[in-house]
Amino acid sequence: MALEDICSFKDTPGKWFSASSLEGTFSSFRTTDYNSFGLRRREKCETTRGAPLHFFIPNTAPFNHRPFPPANQSVKVRRPFPLSHGTTTLGFIFQGGVIAAADTRASAGGLVACPAVHKITPIHSHLVVTSSGSGADCMLWERILTREIRLYQLRYRRRLSILGTAKLLSFMLHPFKGTDVCVALTLCGWDKEAGNADCENRSQASSFLTGDSSSSAVSTQGVTAMTCSASPIGGPKLIYVCSDGARLQGDVISVGSGSPYAYGILDSGLKWSLSKEESISLARQAVFRATHRDAYSGNNVDLFHITAQGWKQRQREDLKEEYYRDLERRDRKQ
Amino acid sequence: MEYLVGIQGKDFVLVAADNVAASSIIQMKHDYDKMFKLSEKILLLCVGEAGDTVQFAEYIQKNVQLYKMRNGYELSPAAAANFTRKNLADYLRSRTPYHVNLLLAGYDDTDGPGLFYMDYLSSLAKAPFAAHGYGAFLTLSILDRYYKPDLTREEAVDLLKKCIEELNKRFIMNLPSFTVRLIDKEGIHDLEKLTHGAK
């Protein structure tokens, strides 16, 4: 198919077969092998051999929103089930760092394809990423991101900031917007403070140029006292990046079909001043409640805690423990 | 779902945008800033499809800055608006059009204040006041009724408050807070956020 690529021959097999039904009109198609089929049809098309011109249909790419991906993909694979973010992942920032939590169920339509999946993946010592959407896409893009971050570190001898990582990922995903790539990642990490005057000028200059006051908007909101350490340089960071192109920095982010349920628990129970144990228990509660109501989330819960010293993973816990704890709590209350 | 509004006075432009970043039915952020600073006296307000807004607005922002670095002086608001429109138009009939609705507000030292309305089909109109979003249906009539070309700053802020009151009263979506900025010959000033009752 190399010649096909050079000729930018954008055609689908479907068209080839329907063309053969017009055999009477065009000259006979004697197709020997698949490779030359395209080229041969092209020749025939150019001449038409006396057939009426309106049978010669040039191939124009359909231009509704975003049609086809790169030209060398000739067949689109039909999906066996509609894609949705069947998961519950969440992350939040508190005084003791960042907590990232997720369930472990991979669903394929109504089937539990795998009950023990890792939805939280470390990228480097101070960054983990929670994934939601298509499992294969997320796995691939996490590897691509890890590679790019490592390359950056080797080339420039410093680690790319989390905001920079998010921007890089967002720009890498942009060409695939409108295709079936379905990736919704939350980057949870801790930026090392580079802490010198150079950095201060840089942060001032960058916010001047970009007018990107999302980080400073976080710090000017007096709604909660969550914003103390969410400074432009250094400290805990939580950024949501999606294959649609969205890139949002925040203090509480939950993604997936179970996210509305998780938000319910997080919004009511979350305070900046929580201790580490309280916040871990809150995260676990939130995932549990979401998996209780959402069919596409369940099985176990993974928890990561990220601080200035790096990430620490808690042992994976089956959610039925949380269920029995909840039952006990109810019995005791009664 | 998103709302942008701009009001031009005698020697200033007042702009406001809501602060909600939503994903289907969830408000993912309550303090999201939809204004992009193109230069000292030009703001670009951008709403539309999720990734397109930031990608396009940052692209325009960097190009305006590049022009300044290359040529030593800044693009005027009218020039920046036409540049933006040209880019939208070029992408419109490509395979990757940008679905964004924009308001560009700026102050030119020679021409004075200017407000430019652009939509995703790359139309461009200089207008004394403009709005984008479903909220525009509710507020354009208020702007039509009470606008005067020689509004003072206080009167413009009052007019803006009238618009936002109407949204809070009749618009189906809850837009709790709005970022408000004013551009005049001194530059861009942040005004107090307009919030609705409880946080």
Side-chain angles (χ1 to χ4, degrees):
Chain A
M1 301 294 180
L3 192 54
E4 187 191 330
D5 287 346
I6 294 172
C7 301
S8 313
F9 190 54
K10 298 187 205 40
D11 208 353
T12 60
K15 267 211 161 143
W16 296 350
F17 296 126
S18 63
S20 64
S21 67
L22 299 169
E23 236 165 54
T25 334
F26 292 111
S27 313
S28 56
F29 281 16
R30 224 151 322 230
T31 64
T32 47
D33 59 311
Y34 229 53
N35 281 333
S36 62
F37 182 32
L39 198 56
R40 187 174 299 201
R41 178 171 173 254
R42 221 170 193 215
E43 281 172 14
K44 301 288 186 226
C45 281
E46 306 302 279
T47 58
T48 73
R49 295 276 174 99
L53 201 58
H54 65 265
F55 277 120
F56 171 49
I57 308 162
N59 181 33
T60 53
F63 75 99
N64 357 344
H65 346 285
R66 276 157 215 273
F68 268 56
N72 46 15
Q73 222 177 310
S74 45
V75 177
K76 207 165 167 215
V77 176
R78 208 173 52 85
R79 298 214 165 256
F81 54 87
L83 271 184
S84 62
H85 302 190
T87 186
T88 307
T89 70
L90 57 93
F92 59 84
I93 300 181
F94 71 114
Q95 54 82 17
V98 191
I99 297 278
D103 73 308
T104 60
R105 174 176 291 182
S107 50
L111 167 73
V112 176
C114 177
V117 160
H118 292 275
K119 297 192 189 178
I120 314 188
T121 321
I123 301 282
H124 58 68
S125 65
H126 286 74
L127 174 61
V128 307
V129 62
T130 72
S131 58
S132 150
S134 153
D137 285 336
C138 286
M139 214 176 273
L140 172 69
W141 282 101
E142 280 162 13
R143 283 196 71 167
I144 292 176
L145 184 65
T146 314
R147 178 192 71 197
E148 291 302 321
I149 296 304
R150 182 73 183 126
L151 278 172
Y152 185 95
Q153 193 176 2
L154 290 168
R155 283 176 185 145
Y156 303 103
R157 277 192 274 166
R158 71 176 193 98
R159 195 173 261 172
L160 189 56
S161 68
I162 309 235
L163 277 166
T165 311
K167 215 169 206 184
L168 179 65
L169 182 61
S170 178
F171 285 176
M172 286 198 290
L173 283 171
H174 185 66
F176 297 94
K177 187 173 159 114
T179 66
D180 276 333
V181 172
C182 183
V183 164
L185 306 176
T186 311
L187 305 176
C188 319
W190 193 288
D191 262 334
K192 284 258 176 54
E193 332 236 337
N196 46 7
D198 194 20
C199 266
E200 268 175 17
N201 292 340
R202 189 155 26 103
S203 76
Q204 279 171 14
S206 63
S207 56
F208 167 87
L209 283 178
T210 64
D212 182 19
S213 50
S214 59
S215 48
S216 52
V218 170
S219 56
T220 51
Q221 283 311 295
V223 176
T224 62
M226 301 272 294
T227 56
C228 315
S229 75
S231 54
I233 301 275
K237 287 279 190 319
L238 192 60
I239 309 178
Y240 168 67
V241 181
C242 160
S243 50
D244 292 336
R247 192 176 8 112
L248 296 172
Q249 186 182 359
D251 290 330
V252 185
I253 300 213
S254 176
V255 185
S257 53
S259 66
Y261 311 108
Y263 271 122
I265 300 292
L266 289 173
D267 284 334
S268 46
L270 190 56
K271 290 190 293 288
W272 176 263
S273 54
L274 285 176
S275 75
K276 179 177 146 193
E277 286 68 33
E278 283 171 344
S279 60
I280 287 177
S281 137
L282 180 71
R284 210 171 33 223
Q285 261 283 315
V287 175
F288 165 66
R289 298 265 164 230
T291 58
H292 186 59
R293 283 288 180 182
D294 180 30
Y296 300 105
S297 311
N299 298 105
N300 307 311
V301 57
D302 273 333
L303 263 162
F304 275 67
H305 179 213
I306 304 111
T307 56
Q309 280 71 44
W311 57 260
K312 270 212 189 58
Q313 181 178 8
R314 280 184 72 85
Q315 200 174 29
R316 170 173 285 195
E317 189 179 322
D318 196 331
L319 280 163
K320 68 171 188 282
E321 310 287 333
E322 187 65 29
Y323 176 68
Y324 288 129
R325 260 186 292 230
D326 190 52
L327 268 184
E328 261 177 59
R329 213 176 300 136
R330 283 175 203 280
D331 289 336
R332 260 186 283 130
K333 280 215 186 115
Q334 277 167 0
Chain B
M1 300 302 172
E2 305 175 288
Y3 180 66
L4 300 177
V5 64
I7 304 174
Q8 179 190 327
K10 202 162 58 144
D11 55 354
F12 67 91
V13 189
L14 182 72
V15 286
D18 73 289
N19 284 334
V20 169
S23 168
S24 108
I25 58 163
I26 303 271
Q27 275 185 22
M28 295 209 75
K29 268 188 83 112
H30 318 286
D31 53 5
Y32 185 65
D33 193 1
K34 300 181 186 178
M35 303 195 194
F36 294 83
K37 186 169 162 177
L38 298 190
S39 76
E40 277 304 315
K41 297 183 189 173
I42 308 182
L43 271 179
L44 181 69
L45 287 74
C46 190
V47 291
E49 204 176 314
D52 286 352
T53 49
V54 176
Q55 289 281 108
F56 185 73
E58 283 190 351
Y59 174 71
I60 299 294
Q61 196 179 44
K62 303 311 174 199
N63 271 291
V64 170
Q65 289 296 320
L66 183 62
Y67 185 94
K68 182 184 173 184
M69 282 179 217
R70 280 187 175 147
N71 302 295
Y73 61 91
E74 290 184 336
L75 274 172
S76 68
N82 277 287
F83 171 70
T84 308
R85 190 214 70 85
K86 180 79 168 68
N87 268 289
L88 263 176
D90 287 338
Y91 278 104
L92 182 63
R93 291 184 195 277
S94 71
R95 287 184 348 158
T96 58
Y98 285 105
H99 198 294
V100 291
N101 292 315
L102 308 161
L103 282 183
L104 192 141
Y107 189 91
D108 194 12
D109 289 323
T110 39
D111 294 330
L115 177 68
F116 297 87
Y117 170 100
M118 274 172 277
D119 73 359
Y120 69 101
L121 294 168
S122 72
S123 62
L124 169 68
K126 185 172 192 304
F129 56 86
H132 272 300
Y134 286 121
F137 288 97
L138 296 165
T139 52
L140 276 173
S141 52
I142 299 177
L143 290 165
D144 279 328
R145 166 80 179 81
Y146 293 107
Y147 177 80
K148 302 190 305 275
D150 54 351
L151 281 176
T152 66
R153 284 166 173 67
E154 290 74 30
E155 285 170 347
V157 173
D158 282 335
L159 182 52
L160 181 64
K161 282 190 179 151
K162 274 205 185 71
C163 291
I164 293 187
E165 258 174 54
E166 179 62 18
L167 282 183
N168 288 328
K169 189 161 175 220
R170 290 285 183 187
F171 191 39
I172 199 176
M173 257 205 63
N174 180 33
L175 296 172
S177 78
F178 293 82
T179 310
V180 184
R181 293 206 166 99
L182 185 124
I183 311 178
D184 62 11
K185 67 175 176 5
E186 255 98 62
I188 302 176
H189 310 279
D190 284 351
L191 298 183
E192 207 186 300
K193 266 195 201 237
L194 291 175
T195 53
H196 173 54
K199 306 157 249 192

